[in-house]
Amino acid sequence: MKRLLLERALYPLLGLAVIVVAWQLYTQLYAVSRIVLPSPSDIALASVRHFALLLAQTWPTLGATVLGFVIALVLGIPLAVCVANSRVLNLTLYPILVATQSVPKVAIAPIVLVWFGFGMESKLAIAFLVAFFPIVVDTATGLRSTPPGLLELARSLRASPWQVFSKVQMPAALPFVFSGAKVAITLAVIGAVIGEFVGSVDGLGNLLLAANSQLESPLAWAALIWLSALGIVLFAAVALVERLVVPWGHSGR
Amino acid sequence: MAEVNSALKRAGTGPDPAPFGRFRDVRQSFARPGQAPLHAIEAVSFDLERGKLVSLLGPSGCGKTTLLKIVAGLMRATAGVVQIEGVDVTEPQPEFGVVFQTANLMPWRSVLRNVLLPIEIRRDTGGAARAAALELLSLVGLAGFEHARPAELSGGMQQRVALCRALVHKPRLLLMDEPFGSLDELTRMEMQDLLLDIRARTGATVLFVTHSISEAVYLSDRVVVFSRRPATIADMIDVPLPYPRTPELRYCATFTEIGHRAGRALGVSR
């Protein structure tokens, strides 16, 4: 087991190291312009030199992402419960929900900007919008796929509707809720960055654009890597909560 | 005087005027769009005496599970009388215990909390339930597993947990729907002995659905043999073998004879 864990950590790191070395060699051997493709060492250097700036710009992006995600959870799960338990609501809302998904979120961004301005609210709104759908759909799917045997058991014990919901449906749906949440948190980062691209005064996305326009490619790349790291950390955080809350939900236990 | 009379009646050899379970002309049919209704059960009548273990034996899909669900109150018969202790069964009866074909355990609950589910649903706050659950678990050989999760148990162990869950509230009637059908032969034989042991201790009345002739004969006081769908009673066989039953009985002449008679009723032997 420990050996497997080591292998699973070691091999991707090894692969990454190979890519970084190849990249470094390529940029040096062919004297690639720093503006076109900065080398890993350039990016690392920019990361260190602009550490304070990068850190300061991380907070607005992180805040918008997490807040948008949390609001999506708080509004999405109750809506999923309603949709899963009411035929009328399901028939009414589900097609609308799916239809709104065909609207490209990037295209909504300018409109959201008109509503909420250049501050935190716009990116938060976009992060929320993209995170909302996977949470609602996966939670509703989970609530509807309660094992029929468990429902029959609850019925044979004459459990009340609330008992059926709280003791059977909801726990059975939790693994689905988390699979939706993991997709949602990743999308929320993207949503926040879209918000920053379209119009904002701060954040890593904003920094990336600004650095790019000033041909400060190493800093732009550094911002990109920080954004990726942010996404990975947030995903890992949700996965960790899942392990704590749904210890039975993993295929391998 | 009246008490003596009723006691005499109960002890007498004549037909019990008020059997524990009474089924008369039970019919079940399902409407099918654009087709004639599907008749699952046709005019089934028999009695279930208190403390007896009665098997419903029949081919797969013959309607015996449907009948069990009707007795459990999970389904309503289209017509006929279904009474337990003189009361019509029209809705689920939490005071019965039901064991399903699959263990139906909640993967998020420990073994003990799975067993305690019926108590929790009834909002029974007495502390005795926990002790009863632990005692049942040790009776079925699962002492020490009370905090394990169902996923850590084998199929046979899971079905034992399900059995404990069905027994934890001391039901008067235990309804079992092919509970050992998915187990391997050896585990199944173990579980049969376990069930007989538990029945001997609790004195519960048991209605047991199976498609295995040997299982029905080994377990039961009486075997009700069903025909193919629509289910009617093809034969009703009292098993004269004494309890406690031991595995050696499976090889005695009476056992074979009864099995043969059940096989004839099922149309699988001549």
Side-chain angles (χ1 to χ4, degrees), chain B residues 34-257:
Chain B
Q35 291 178 65
L38 176 82
H39 296 291
I41 303 173
E42 207 143 274
V44 163
S45 303
F46 66 98
D47 286 340
L48 178 59
E49 283 163 61
R50 186 183 300 277
K52 299 285 179 188
L53 197 159
V54 173
S55 283
L56 309 180
L57 173 67
S60 295
C62 78
K64 55 196 191 304
T65 292
T66 306
L67 183 61
L68 194 83
K69 283 191 175 167
I70 291 170
V71 180
L74 290 167
M75 238 184 216
R76 286 205 66 173
T78 313
V81 176
V82 178
Q83 288 179 340
I84 300 294
E85 296 189 308
V87 180
D88 287 310
V89 176
T90 54
E91 56 181 345
Q93 306 292 312
E95 58 273 20
F96 299 169
V98 186
V99 181
F100 300 90
Q101 286 176 21
T102 52
N104 275 339
L105 301 180
M106 296 180 169
W108 54 88
R109 282 176 174 244
S110 67
V111 163
L112 180 62
R113 292 199 59 224
N114 264 294
V115 174
L116 287 172
L117 182 76
I119 307 287
E120 211 179 298
I121 299 277
R122 300 162 135 220
R123 298 196 180 81
D124 214 332
T125 45
R130 201 186 139 88
L134 288 171
E135 197 187 323
L136 276 169
L137 282 171
S138 79
L139 187 66
V140 302
L142 287 177
F145 284 95
E146 51 272 354
H147 299 298
R149 284 195 194 282
E152 298 166 47
L153 307 183
S154 70
M157 289 159 95
Q158 291 189 11
Q159 202 54 280
R160 287 182 212 195
V161 177
L163 186 59
C164 291
R165 180 181 59 199
L167 290 166
V168 73
H169 53 289
K170 303 189 171 61
R172 293 166 292 145
L173 175 60
L174 186 58
L175 302 168
M176 306 183 83
D177 183 11
E178 292 181 27
F180 312 142
S182 58
L183 305 178
D184 63 86
E185 183 73 18
L186 289 176
T187 312
R188 181 196 288 218
M189 280 156 73
E190 268 174 44
M191 292 294 288
Q192 290 166 357
D193 286 329
L194 182 65
L195 172 63
L196 288 181
D197 183 32
I198 283 173
R199 201 220 11 172
R201 286 166 191 257
T202 59
T205 310
V206 185
L207 200 55
F208 190 99
V209 165
T210 179
H211 56 238
S212 156
I213 296 175
S214 66
E215 183 168 75
V217 176
Y218 186 67
L219 291 176
S220 317
D221 289 293
R222 167 182 280 185
V223 181
V224 181
V225 187
F226 284 79
S227 66
R228 292 195 181 282
R229 199 170 61 214
T232 53
I233 293 178
D235 200 355
M236 197 124 55
I237 311 169
D238 286 314
V239 183
L241 299 170
Y243 289 100
R245 293 191 182 160
T246 51
E248 297 74 52
L249 279 178
R250 294 175 193 271
Y251 309 102
C252 78
T254 317
F255 191 95
T256 314
E257 221 167 84

Side-chain angles (χ1 to χ4, degrees), chain A residues 76-77 80-81 84 134-144 170 173 176-177 180:
Chain A
I77 292 175
V81 170
I135 288 173
V136 175
V137 169
D138 282 8
T139 305
T141 306
L143 288 169
R144 281 159 168 275
M170 202 60 216
F176 291 81
V177 175

Side-chain angles (χ1 to χ4, degrees), chain A residues 99-135:
Chain A
T100 56
Q101 272 318 287
S102 60
V103 179
K105 296 299 175 311
V106 190
I108 296 188
I111 298 169
V112 171
L113 194 71
V114 172
W115 293 344
F116 296 112
F118 287 87
M120 171 82 158
E121 293 86 347
S122 283
K123 39 185 162 173
L124 195 155
I126 297 166
F128 160 76
L129 280 175
V130 292
F132 187 63
F133 184 72
I135 288 173

Side-chain angles (χ1 to χ4, degrees), chain A:
Chain A
M1 185 62 205
K2 233 177 183 165
R3 197 194 147 100
L4 190 79
L5 218 73
L6 195 72
E7 280 185 338
R8 281 179 56 172
L10 201 65
Y11 283 97
L13 283 177
L14 221 69
L16 189 66
V18 169
I19 291 170
V20 168
V21 168
W23 179 355
Q24 181 76 33
L25 286 177
Y26 173 75
T27 49
Q28 277 184 355
L29 290 177
Y30 292 88
V32 182
S33 157
R34 181 170 296 183
I35 294 168
V36 177
L37 181 65
S39 71
S41 59
D42 290 334
I43 298 168
L45 206 67
S47 237
V48 173
R49 194 181 299 149
H50 299 289
F51 184 79
L53 177 65
L54 283 162
L55 190 65
Q57 297 309 315
T58 301
W59 303 125
T61 310
L62 178 70
T65 303
V66 171
L67 214 59
F69 171 73
V70 168
I71 297 174
L73 278 179
V74 169
L75 297 181
I77 292 175
L79 179 68
V81 170
C82 296
V83 166
N85 286 301
S86 154
R87 214 179 104 78
V88 175
L89 272 180
N90 182 47
L91 287 173
T92 314
L93 290 180
Y94 212 74
I96 299 176
L97 257 167
V98 174
T100 56
Q101 272 318 287
S102 60
V103 179
K105 296 299 175 311
V106 190
I108 296 188
I111 298 169
V112 171
L113 194 71
V114 172
W115 293 344
F116 296 112
F118 287 87
M120 171 82 158
E121 293 86 347
S122 283
K123 39 185 162 173
L124 195 155
I126 297 166
F128 160 76
L129 280 175
V130 292
F132 187 63
F133 184 72
I135 288 173
V136 175
V137 169
D138 282 8
T139 305
T141 306
L143 288 169
R144 281 159 168 275
S145 40
T146 315
L150 289 184
L151 290 176
E152 189 164 55
L153 169 73
R155 213 156 69 76
S156 79
L157 296 169
R158 226 191 280 165
S160 69
W162 169 248
Q163 284 175 328
V164 172
F165 173 73
S166 64
K167 292 185 194 296
V168 186
Q169 277 189 299
M170 202 60 216
L174 273 181
F176 291 81
V177 175
F178 272 98
S179 77
K182 283 193 282 192
V183 173
I185 192 72
T186 319
L187 289 179
V189 177
I190 298 174
V193 173
I194 291 174
E196 288 173 353
F197 273 14
V198 175
S200 73
V201 289
D202 54 11
L204 285 172
N206 187 274
L207 177 65
L208 197 155
L209 271 194
N212 219 29
S213 66
Q214 289 159 26
L215 302 182
E216 284 262 16
S217 292
L219 180 59
W221 276 82
L224 181 68
I225 284 165
W226 277 58
L227 270 174
S228 315
L230 184 70
I232 292 171
V233 167
L234 287 173
F235 181 87
V238 175
L240 181 73
V241 174
E242 180 186 23
R243 278 193 161 257
L244 297 176
V245 179
V246 195
W248 70 90
H250 302 276
S251 43
R253 214 174 291 153

